[in-house]
Amino acid sequence: MNNSGGIKELMNAETQASQIVSAARSGRGTRLKAAKSEAQTSIDNYRSQKEVAFNEASLNTNAGDDASRSALKAETAREMQSMEAKFNENQGEALKVLLAKCCDVNLDVPAARVRSAQKAAM
């Protein structure tokens, strides 16, 4: 009887240990879920703060952008006029160069081509 009583005690101890481990695992899962929820809340708060700061900064910079936009447009218009003037000034010369290259045709036949044509004729 002594032997069977010891076995029962071991079985009870094992059952209790497995219950303790199970409770610890479920508690760990609950703590992880709570930590994840808290972290997500913290992330959302930080994101909303940064979005507000960004929106305020973009509103402040947009006010000064009108002057820089108009200056940039004026500079672009000046550069476009300069390029058009240079184009009009040089278009005749460019046309002459292009026509000269188009009309410059080399009629010399390479020696290798002549030899291959002679071999083919034989």
Side-chain angles (χ1 to χ4, degrees):
M1 288 267 194
N2 206 7
N3 220 4
S4 72
I7 293 176
K8 284 183 183 180
E9 276 184 54
L10 284 174
M11 297 279 283
N12 286 338
E14 185 179 345
T15 304
Q16 288 176 350
S18 67
Q19 289 173 350
I20 291 171
V21 169
S22 175
R25 284 185 181 157
S26 68
R28 179 177 172 227
T30 303
R31 286 191 309 273
L32 283 175
K33 287 178 185 177
K36 184 177 179 182
S37 174
E38 288 175 19
Q40 188 62 44
T41 303
S42 176
I43 289 169
D44 291 341
N45 288 339
Y46 180 77
R47 179 176 288 138
S48 65
Q49 289 173 357
K50 290 300 178 181
E51 284 178 356
V52 166
F54 174 76
N55 289 336
E56 288 175 0
S58 73
L59 286 176
N60 291 338
T61 57
N62 283 343
D65 279 349
D66 291 336
S68 62
R69 276 190 202 137
S70 62
L72 183 61
K73 285 182 181 181
E75 183 181 346
T76 303
R78 281 193 306 272
E79 289 180 8
M80 288 293 293
Q81 288 175 348
S82 171
M83 284 190 271
E84 286 177 7
K86 287 179 183 177
F87 171 76
N88 290 332
E89 189 178 298
N90 296 324
Q91 73 181 11
E93 187 65 31
L95 186 60
K96 286 180 189 176
V97 170
L98 288 174
L99 288 175
K101 290 297 177 185
C102 288
C103 296
D104 185 21
V105 178
N106 185 5
L107 298 177
D108 294 333
V109 179
R113 178 78 43 120
V114 172
R115 284 192 300 262
S116 67
Q118 289 173 347
K119 284 183 183 178
M122 286 187 199

